[in-house]
Amino acid sequence: MTTSVNSAFEAHYIKHARLALQREAGEAPPASPKHPSELKSVPLFLSAQNLVHPSEPPISALLYGGFLEHLGRCIYGGIVDDYRNPSPAQLLIKQDDGTAHAKGRLGWRKDVKEILASDGELEVPMMRWPGGNFVSNYHWQDGIGPIADRPKTIELAWLSDDPNIFGTDEYVEYCQGLGAEPYICLNMGSGTLEEALAWVEYCNGTSNSKYAKLRKQNTGREEPHNVKYWGLGNENYGPWQVGNMSATEYTMKAKSWAHALRLVDPTIKLVSCGHNGATAWDREVLATMVGYVDLHSIHFYSMVYHERSPPGFLYEKNVFGPAIVELYIDVCQSLIHLANNERALLDIPPREVKIAFDEWNVWDKAKGNADNGLEQWYDFTDMLGFVGWLNVFVRKHKEVGLANLAQAVNVIAPLMTTKDGVVRQTTFYPLKLFSKYMKNGRLMATPAQPDTYIGPTFPVTIQTLKLQPAYIDLVAIVVDTTDGISIRVCVLNRHPTADWKADFRLDAFDLDHVEIHEMYSDDLEAVNTFHSPDTVVPAVSKVEGEDWKGTHTVRKHSWSFFLFNGKSTS
């Protein structure tokens, strides 16, 4: 997670982006939005046989992964009890069971665990840990063994102390409790290769080697942790990162690490450290690392540093911001293809490398920053921008192998806690529906929408490159069910004042019923709080097949989610 961006680079980028805008064929870009007064209605012809990627595997649940960093109240006071401000015993799942290895462990927050678990509301399939920037100064052996013997250490990413109560064994057991795949990011800042090799051996070793024995001693169990996913560093390109290095330096180091790590465990999946997917760093790293990794990590937060763009139009900057993400994914995939093409010219077989979008979110530093532990309260507009992200991941599921929302609890998160309870933020509800329904299905072809936005954006590149995102952002999938098939359609209306008439044309489909979830608010700044936790929640309705007329009005600045359940007639 980026603490601060190189200000010189940002100033240079913004300056040249503005110059590029001024050079565009003598056309000055609109200084303010020019929204159409109404939106055209294009029939949505949907067919279970008309698929975008008919031969690709179904959409993976790993698009909806989470992220835990030792930052603010994400760990302590988030997923486990806060040792500084303990919760009531009835809110905790006790972990200190009296055994030597568990003595001093903090209880899990029962309410949070029940939401995050694979059988809970969010069905989180994977948890990335321990960072984030935190990892570049994290030494894993400080967080194992008897808790009473673990040192309190300073961490340099967020300039705080860490008590090391929650370490590797606690993290893996928490993932097991959730039913989530663990994903550990290695310290390639202040860490050494020897330390990384020992960490993999500690987690996955099955012999009586030094670190495998140490794990058995610390956990009281023979079974290994079986951590499959390992990240080769975090944002090592950034000047805010401990151990910042050039792309050339990183590539040389990561290549040697990847080789050695696979000697310890050949079954692991490795993730190279990327930027946003569309930079010179990504190009140089992928040119070599395609031959050594399974995924390439990219990060981006929409709205972060929006204050460095021309002022105003925060609604448009937020809801249209995810348009740049689709471009970043496309460019990154092209760089992977380029690297594989270079390999082919040398008669080296290509290697399939997917994108790991393992840090993403809507993040406004005016709302969530280091001073408040990044505790951003997400308003209704933020929720609309968040849905745009989710739509992108479903559309680009062929390229994106996994994604991790930063972060799971309290820190720019869909859940906020006190010692006594939890509140679901506005962004919780789309994440819940996507993680439950927008997986294990196939992407359906949908018609392009004619009304597009050409006003001010953030980042300005959306405007510079004339991406012109559509006002109606939609995605549809079809899922086989025990009773037939389910067609699931997400419609995001980004127009601030115009409704849109959705005209559904379902081909060769016998509709049993449609379930509709809608989120709308007249107040674009509405938030859910501990005092008013249900200010913004979905309205849910159900229409039987014989009563369905085929059309539905999607209101201005709103999000609607449709579940068409029935049987194929073809």
Side-chain angles (χ1 to χ4, degrees):
M1 178 172 288
T2 306
T3 52
S4 61
V5 172
N6 185 326
S7 57
F9 171 81
E10 284 289 314
H12 174 84
Y13 167 78
I14 292 169
K15 172 185 175 183
H16 285 272
R18 288 173 177 164
L19 289 173
L21 285 170
Q22 295 168 5
R23 290 197 298 267
E24 282 188 14
E27 296 180 17
S32 61
K34 295 182 178 179
H35 300 299
S37 59
E38 59 183 31
L39 295 172
K40 302 178 186 70
S41 180
V42 175
L44 294 178
F45 290 99
L46 297 174
S47 169
Q49 285 71 47
N50 190 10
L51 305 177
V52 178
H53 307 299
S55 60
E56 286 294 312
I59 295 165
S60 172
L62 292 180
L63 294 180
Y64 311 112
F67 174 35
L68 302 171
E69 183 171 10
H70 293 250
L71 162 60
R73 295 190 307 120
C74 183
I75 304 284
Y76 307 111
I79 63 166
V80 301
D81 196 18
D82 189 341
Y83 59 94
R84 299 154 297 194
N85 188 24
S87 292
Q90 63 268 25
L91 269 186
L92 301 175
I93 302 173
K94 189 175 181 180
Q95 298 302 299
D96 184 344
D97 59 7
T99 59
H101 74 272
K103 187 176 182 180
R105 283 189 175 180
L106 296 169
W108 297 349
R109 281 289 298 261
K110 184 187 300 184
D111 47 1
V112 173
K113 188 259 184 184
E114 289 176 351
I115 293 172
L116 297 178
S118 59
D119 59 354
E121 293 180 75
L122 291 184
E123 303 183 14
V124 176
M126 168 184 277
M127 275 293 185
R128 180 175 179 250
W129 173 84
N133 296 340
F134 174 85
V135 76
S136 292
N137 187 52
Y138 178 65
H139 299 281
W140 69 271
Q141 292 184 60
D142 290 336
I144 62 170
I147 289 174
D149 296 339
R150 298 180 190 179
K152 176 183 285 189
T153 54
I154 61 168
E155 62 87 18
L156 304 180
W158 306 101
L159 303 179
S160 63
D161 295 333
D162 192 279
N164 285 301
I165 300 172
F166 189 88
T168 301
D169 300 324
E170 289 78 21
Y171 159 71
V172 171
E173 290 190 23
Y174 190 73
C175 286
Q176 292 169 347
L178 295 180
E181 185 86 37
Y183 169 17
I184 291 179
C185 187
L186 293 166
N187 177 0
M188 288 190 71
S190 63
T192 65
L193 175 56
E194 181 180 11
E195 188 177 11
L197 295 173
W199 205 355
V200 175
E201 180 190 338
Y202 182 87
C203 288
N204 296 355
T206 56
S207 68
N208 282 322
S209 61
K210 175 181 177 180
Y211 290 103
K213 285 179 66 176
L214 184 58
R215 182 200 69 244
K216 297 172 189 178
Q217 174 185 317
N218 288 338
T219 64
R221 297 193 306 271
E222 287 288 321
E223 299 81 8
H225 288 330
N226 289 324
V227 178
K228 182 191 301 183
Y229 291 87
W230 296 83
L232 296 170
N234 175 80
E235 295 181 1
N236 298 97
Y237 55 83
W240 57 87
Q241 204 72 215
V242 172
N244 162 241
M245 61 190 92
S246 70
T248 301
E249 292 168 328
Y250 171 81
T251 301
M252 292 178 62
K253 186 174 182 179
K255 181 173 68 171
S256 65
W257 278 42
H259 170 73
L261 290 165
R262 290 196 195 278
L263 293 177
V264 176
D265 184 351
T267 69
I268 59 176
K269 291 185 178 294
L270 294 176
V271 185
S272 53
C273 171
H275 195 298
N276 63 28
T279 68
W281 171 281
D282 294 285
R283 183 178 65 243
E284 183 169 348
V285 169
L286 281 167
T288 295
M289 295 307 296
V290 156
Y292 294 88
V293 298
D294 303 282
L295 300 107
H296 181 69
S297 163
I298 63 176
H299 294 174
F300 185 71
Y301 296 89
S302 57
M303 291 301 285
V304 75
Y305 297 115
H306 70 81
E307 64 275 10
R308 297 180 181 179
S309 66
F313 317 113
L314 292 182
Y315 173 84
E316 288 79 9
K317 291 175 181 177
N318 202 333
V319 301
F320 293 107
I324 198 65
V325 178
E326 210 145 356
L327 175 67
Y328 289 162
I329 291 170
D330 287 341
V331 172
C332 189
Q333 185 61 52
S334 295
L335 294 176
I336 293 169
H337 288 330
L338 177 63
N340 271 321
N341 184 63
E342 295 289 341
R343 288 166 62 86
L345 294 174
L346 299 173
D347 293 325
I348 303 172
R351 183 181 177 90
E352 183 180 45
V353 173
K354 295 279 190 178
I355 294 167
F357 218 125
D358 54 19
E359 284 191 35
W360 71 272
N361 207 339
V362 177
W363 178 17
D364 187 341
K365 285 199 170 185
K367 302 176 183 178
N369 49 58
D371 292 336
N372 65 5
L374 276 67
E375 295 193 7
Q376 175 170 341
W377 288 93
Y378 284 96
D379 63 25
F380 185 81
T381 301
D382 295 325
M383 183 276 296
L384 297 177
F386 190 87
V387 172
W389 273 96
L390 293 169
N391 279 355
V392 168
F393 288 144
V394 173
R395 271 197 298 272
K396 308 306 291 184
H397 79 94
K398 179 182 176 183
E399 294 80 18
V400 180
L402 62 87
N404 299 86
L405 171 66
Q407 295 185 13
V409 192
N410 289 326
V411 177
I412 52 172
L415 299 174
M416 297 290 283
T417 67
T418 64
K419 60 182 283 187
D420 302 306
V422 62
V423 66
R424 294 156 178 80
Q425 295 230 58
T426 60
T427 55
F428 169 87
Y429 296 99
L431 182 61
K432 174 184 175 180
L433 288 179
F434 269 77
S435 63
K436 183 176 181 65
Y437 294 115
M438 300 299 274
K439 63 186 178 185
N440 303 323
R442 299 185 181 279
L443 183 65
M444 303 177 74
T446 56
Q449 298 302 307
D451 296 301
T452 58
Y453 174 72
I454 58 172
T457 61
F458 184 79
V460 295
T461 321
I462 299 170
Q463 206 176 16
T464 306
L465 300 179
K466 297 183 177 180
L467 298 184
Q468 297 185 14
Y471 282 93
I472 300 301
D473 179 23
L474 60 89
V475 66
I477 73 169
V478 59
V479 178
D480 291 328
T481 67
T482 55
D483 299 323
I485 63 172
S486 177
I487 294 174
R488 298 158 183 186
V489 187
C490 172
V491 181
L492 174 64
N493 182 356
R494 301 190 274 206
H495 198 293
T497 59
D499 296 345
W500 183 69
K501 182 181 179 181
D503 181 4
F504 293 97
R505 311 287 179 88
L506 305 177
D507 181 55
F509 185 68
D510 182 16
L511 178 65
D512 180 74
H513 68 273
V514 56
E515 183 176 303
I516 307 170
H517 300 249
E518 300 174 277
M519 289 189 74
Y520 175 81
S521 174
D522 285 322
D523 180 3
L524 295 175
E525 297 181 354
V527 298
N528 294 335
T529 67
F530 292 107
H531 297 295
S532 300
D534 300 322
T535 301
V536 183
V537 297
V540 183
S541 59
K542 182 178 179 180
V543 182
E544 297 299 329
E546 61 266 25
D547 299 323
W548 173 249
K549 305 303 182 184
T551 62
H552 187 86
T553 297
V554 179
R555 300 178 69 180
K556 62 184 179 182
H557 59 253
S558 75
W559 168 59
S560 295
F561 190 88
F562 301 84
L563 293 158
F564 296 97
N565 296 314
K567 293 180 172 61
S568 173
T569 59
S570 64

